[in-house]
Amino acid sequence: MRRTVFNEDHEAFRETLRAFIEAEVVPVYDDWFAAGQAPREFYYKLGELGIFGINVPEEFGGAGMDSHKFEAVLYEETARAGVQFGGSGVHVLLALPYINMLATDEQKKRYLPKFVTGEEMWAIAMTEPGTGSDLAGMKSTAKLSEDGTHYVLNGAKTFITGGVHADKVIVCARTAAPTAEDRRHGISLFAVDTKSQGYSVGRKLDKLGLRTSDTAELAFVDVKVPVEDLLGEENKGFSYLGHNLASERWGIAFGAYAQAKAAVRFAKQYVQDRTVFGKPVAHFQNTKFELAACQAEVDAAEAVVDRATEALDAGELTPAEAASAKLFCTEVAHRVIDRCLQLHGGYGYMNEYPIARLYADNRVNRIYGGTSEIMKSIIAKNMGL
């Protein structure tokens, strides 16, 4: 079936992006993988390419697009090449929606020009040790100073993607205690400068997958955050977090689909080239049946993410629909990538082959952005169960 989700502009962007990946990323990706992160200067190249400004208003240096389809192309092309763009996905997919939604014009003038160029990289800090998906259980605090000029931030965060290279971090912290009626009350969002006194980056975490994206622990000890860097209204942070979860989960769903599609491509190429018992592995019936089954699952996932993309761009993607797309596509990717690795035999276990890295990278999709179990709970609740 012919896809209708992309137009000529998206395909032109795809060509530019594919050429960029082949020239700037593929030749050095093994070095990034060994180092456990992409180099900081790479983000300047992404800024020059215009990646960071697609959804930024024109008056602040961006392209002013109101669509997620260019992000979708980015997911497909990085997966196709078996690479990642470091921690830059958080910069665009997670941090930018909060800036666009909550920042005042004065804040946007300060934040967005450097956001677009990559001069200031952003991350978002929600998860804390011991809280996981229970964001209402966060313990970090931000107390307003007596003179009302700044907040004093204390606490710790973990699993913060982009946390090593970040120049600004959207930090979620308690500005008021939870109430008996609503334990989610009292959370606020702040744009915190990582150069602030008392702000520190702890361990760069050693992850199973996504090896080129820096993930860190953060700590705050009496960090002074100017009141001018409060995002949105005080104590309403939890509702803001919920507002953007649909787009975040769409991104994970689309990324998982793109990885599954890439896995089929890698496996198809491998079985056509690899000879066993005097004939290509692709000639065996089991190989054909396995890849055919994988392709059918990828086709189904493609239909789901394309429909979700159109709904997201139209402002109509509901939390339950986003949860359903994430659950389905991440489970499909899990099955497909596992079967495609199996077709590689022992070589599929070697990191020099893209399928091995893809296998490790994909595993987190069923965890972050809300676990598969949380997605099932959301879907069940929407069903009235």
Side-chain angles (χ1 to χ4, degrees):
M1 293 178 286
R2 185 176 66 88
R3 297 180 81 185
T4 59
V5 69
F6 299 123
N7 62 28
E8 292 181 357
D9 290 338
H10 302 123
E11 296 306 331
F13 175 65
R14 185 188 303 279
E15 291 181 11
T16 299
L17 186 59
R18 188 173 295 183
F20 173 83
I21 290 171
E22 289 298 323
E24 300 288 346
V25 182
V26 172
V28 294
Y29 196 71
D30 286 347
D31 296 334
W32 297 4
F33 189 84
Q37 63 186 30
R40 178 62 179 85
E41 56 269 21
F42 172 67
Y43 298 136
Y44 291 109
K45 294 182 179 181
L46 292 180
E48 292 173 3
L49 191 64
I51 297 293
F52 297 150
I54 293 171
N55 296 116
V56 172
E58 292 182 48
E59 60 264 38
F60 304 114
M65 299 289 182
D66 188 21
S67 171
H68 290 77
K69 293 180 180 179
F70 291 97
E71 292 174 39
V73 173
L74 180 62
Y75 285 126
E76 290 187 338
E77 290 305 307
T78 50
R80 179 185 181 277
V83 302
Q84 298 278 337
F85 279 179
S88 64
V90 169
H91 184 70
V92 174
L93 181 63
L94 299 189
L96 181 58
Y98 289 102
I99 300 172
N100 281 337
M101 178 177 70
L102 301 176
T104 64
D105 284 344
E106 185 277 330
Q107 288 175 322
K108 289 177 180 177
K109 289 177 183 177
R110 286 193 287 122
Y111 300 153
L112 288 176
K114 293 181 180 180
F115 180 101
V116 170
T117 62
E119 185 177 348
E120 286 187 348
M121 294 299 296
W122 287 63
I124 184 164
M126 299 187 219
T127 304
E128 296 184 358
T131 60
S133 296
D134 181 21
L135 294 178
M138 70 176 61
K139 305 297 184 183
S140 295
T141 61
K143 296 182 179 180
L144 188 63
S145 62
E146 291 185 3
D147 61 7
T149 62
H150 62 273
Y151 291 85
V152 180
L153 175 65
N154 283 282
K157 301 289 182 178
T158 192
F159 304 147
I160 309 307
T161 301
V164 174
H165 284 320
D167 302 287
K168 297 276 191 182
V169 178
I170 299 174
V171 178
C172 312
R174 284 205 165 276
T175 44
T179 65
E181 297 78 19
D182 185 6
R183 61 190 295 267
R184 299 173 296 183
H185 171 76
I187 295 172
S188 301
L189 307 185
F190 300 90
V192 179
D193 191 325
T194 62
K195 295 185 294 295
S196 301
Q197 185 174 352
Y199 180 104
S200 63
V201 178
R203 292 185 302 150
K204 183 170 78 69
L205 300 175
D206 186 15
K207 307 189 300 295
L208 170 68
L210 301 178
R211 302 286 298 183
T212 64
S213 102
D214 53 297
T215 300
E217 296 173 330
L218 306 180
F220 322 109
V221 179
D222 294 334
V223 176
K224 293 182 179 180
V225 183
V227 293
E228 292 82 9
D229 287 322
L230 171 69
L231 286 173
E233 295 184 44
E234 194 179 79
N235 299 329
K236 293 188 176 181
F238 197 93
S239 65
Y240 299 145
L241 296 175
H243 182 84
N244 284 326
L245 279 175
S247 63
E248 178 183 350
R249 288 166 179 163
W250 164 83
I252 297 170
F254 207 105
Y257 146 73
Q259 289 175 324
K261 182 178 180 179
V264 173
R265 175 175 176 267
F266 295 144
K268 179 183 175 182
Q269 180 178 347
Y270 179 82
V271 299
Q272 288 175 328
D273 295 340
R274 174 72 168 163
T275 299
V276 177
F277 303 123
K279 63 175 68 174
V281 176
H283 284 202
F284 293 94
Q285 186 181 62
N286 179 69
T287 303
K288 296 176 182 179
F289 281 7
E290 283 293 284
L291 281 177
C294 288
Q295 183 63 53
E297 291 219 73
V298 169
D299 288 344
E302 181 176 275
V304 168
V305 294
D306 284 0
R307 184 181 69 174
T309 301
E310 297 288 12
L312 182 62
D313 275 6
E316 298 172 354
L317 185 65
T318 68
E321 290 169 342
S324 179
K326 180 182 184 295
L327 176 66
F328 181 77
C329 293
T330 56
E331 295 292 340
V332 163
H334 163 64
R335 294 191 296 269
V336 167
I337 295 170
D338 184 75
R339 294 168 85 170
C340 288
L341 186 150
Q342 188 72 14
L343 289 172
H344 282 70
Y347 289 105
Y349 206 64
M350 301 295 110
N351 274 327
E352 65 185 276
Y353 282 79
I355 193 68
R357 299 179 182 183
L358 198 58
Y359 183 86
D361 290 349
N362 173 260
R363 186 58 184 88
V364 76
N365 289 332
R366 291 182 287 151
I367 299 173
Y368 67 3
T371 64
S372 291
E373 291 72 26
I374 295 293
M375 298 304 100
K376 291 174 184 177
S377 297
I378 294 170
I379 298 165
K381 183 178 181 179
N382 186 64
M383 294 169 66
L385 300 174

